[in-house]
Amino acid sequence: MNILDTDSDRLLLAVRSLLESKGIVSTEEVRHRIAVTDAAGPGQGARMVARAWVDPGYRASMLQDGAKAAEALGIPMRGMPPLGVLENTAEVHNLVVCTLCSCYPRAVLGYPPFWYKSAAFRARAVRDPRALLAAEWKTIIPDTVKVRVVDSTADYRWMVLPARPAGTDGWDEARLADIVREGDMIGVTIPMVD
């Protein structure tokens, strides 16, 4: 099969060629951006969470401007939509969903999981988030805690700063980052200590 067998492949090549001929972007810049996106994964976000758990100044910066906090840890955010960070507390549990498609903070979490893009997840997250979390992830949010659903959009991406689990006092950043899962940063799960 030839790389240009589909109309979408030919269209993509034509757009890239046009952008390059106009001096807007080079082939190398496109390759670099693809490589950066492909290298991103939940470990990036986990590093941010772990740093926020041990460094109050970084936590404040992360809650104020997630993209700036990511850049401070060497996570490239150029060309990405702004990144907001929602803090889970004893009063509020945040759940991130893209109600229209699959907008996701790829620079810090990588590609979205398959279920994140599903119409069923998106609809159930909005309709009855507490029941969805319990049924699909066994995440039980006490009735005393408000579950807030936040829509990630093409213009503004969101991630969750989960609450630091009890029993992790004295842990270093690397050990803390190891317990942070992708779901914890979307709000479908809560970090656990074995």
Side-chain angles (χ1 to χ4, degrees):
M1 177 186 230
N2 186 331
I3 193 163
L4 297 178
D5 280 346
T6 67
D7 288 341
S8 61
D9 291 334
R10 287 187 289 277
L11 178 60
L12 178 60
L13 182 62
V15 169
R16 283 185 180 172
S17 296
L18 180 63
L19 291 172
E20 189 166 356
S21 71
K22 300 265 184 199
I24 296 170
V25 66
S26 71
T27 299
E28 185 52 39
E29 288 171 315
V30 171
R31 281 192 191 116
H32 174 72
R33 190 77 209 130
I34 290 170
V36 166
T37 301
D38 287 346
Q44 304 275 57
R47 286 190 309 121
M48 292 174 66
V49 169
R51 173 69 58 89
W53 284 347
V54 299
D55 181 344
Y58 182 81
R59 179 184 153 278
S61 173
M62 187 173 162
L63 293 172
Q64 182 177 15
D65 184 341
K68 185 176 178 181
E71 290 275 356
L73 291 185
I75 302 167
M77 297 297 290
R78 189 180 75 128
M80 295 282 122
L83 174 65
V85 179
L86 306 158
E87 185 175 26
N88 283 352
T89 67
E91 293 81 30
V92 177
H93 179 88
N94 295 286
L95 173 62
V96 176
V97 64
C98 176
T99 57
L100 295 177
C101 55
S102 61
C103 295
Y104 198 71
R106 291 183 179 178
V108 295
L109 297 183
Y111 290 101
F114 71 93
W115 52 261
Y116 183 85
K117 299 183 270 185
S118 76
F121 168 74
R122 297 188 328 248
R124 289 173 67 201
V126 172
R127 190 174 53 247
D128 193 354
R130 195 178 301 271
L132 169 71
L133 296 177
E136 300 298 328
W137 286 276
K138 309 300 182 235
T139 302
I140 307 301
I141 307 298
D143 290 337
T144 57
V145 176
K146 176 184 177 184
V147 176
R148 178 173 54 189
V149 178
V150 178
D151 199 7
S152 196
T153 68
D155 296 325
Y156 208 91
R157 305 297 165 87
W158 293 98
M159 72 176 274
V160 173
L161 172 57
R164 183 175 177 168
T168 60
D169 292 340
W171 288 23
D172 65 17
E173 283 183 47
R175 188 172 178 197
L176 287 168
D178 282 344
I179 66 168
V180 179
R181 298 166 295 173
E182 182 175 28
D184 302 337
M185 296 175 286
I186 303 168
V188 297
T189 56
I190 298 170
M192 306 292 266
V193 178
D194 294 331

